[in-house]
Amino acid sequence: MSKDRDIGPEYLYYGIPSPWLHSKCLRALQWFPPPEIDADRNTLSKMLQALILNWMADWPDGCVGLRGKGSMG
């Protein structure tokens, strides 16, 4: 969301800018029904995949998580 901007260290968590904002936005999505139009559903899916892949790319190498598990595409 704010990857290309200068972020103060108080907003970084393991190199990820404002992860709490990402989490709140994703939580808000659960209250909306999935799009009924295939094109909209595909767009939303691609956006969520890009968000998750960007998160994972910014994780430090020693961070335990989903890196390397499953497939995103």
Side-chain angles (χ1 to χ4, degrees):
M1 291 181 147
S2 56
K3 188 173 182 170
D4 295 331
R5 297 180 178 205
D6 290 331
I7 304 294
E10 65 272 14
Y11 295 107
L12 291 175
Y13 185 74
Y14 287 100
I16 301 171
S18 305
W20 49 91
L21 179 59
H22 292 110
S23 296
K24 286 184 180 190
C25 290
L26 289 172
R27 257 190 230 136
L29 280 177
Q30 74 181 346
W31 297 107
F32 296 94
E36 294 181 11
I37 300 170
D38 286 338
D40 292 344
R41 191 177 13 242
N42 290 336
T43 300
L44 178 61
S45 178
K46 287 178 185 178
M47 291 171 62
L48 291 172
Q49 283 183 344
L51 177 69
I52 291 168
L53 291 174
N54 284 336
W55 259 348
M56 291 174 65
D58 289 340
W59 286 352
D61 289 336
C63 185
V64 176
L66 298 174
R67 182 176 284 207
K69 296 185 180 177
S71 100
M72 295 296 297

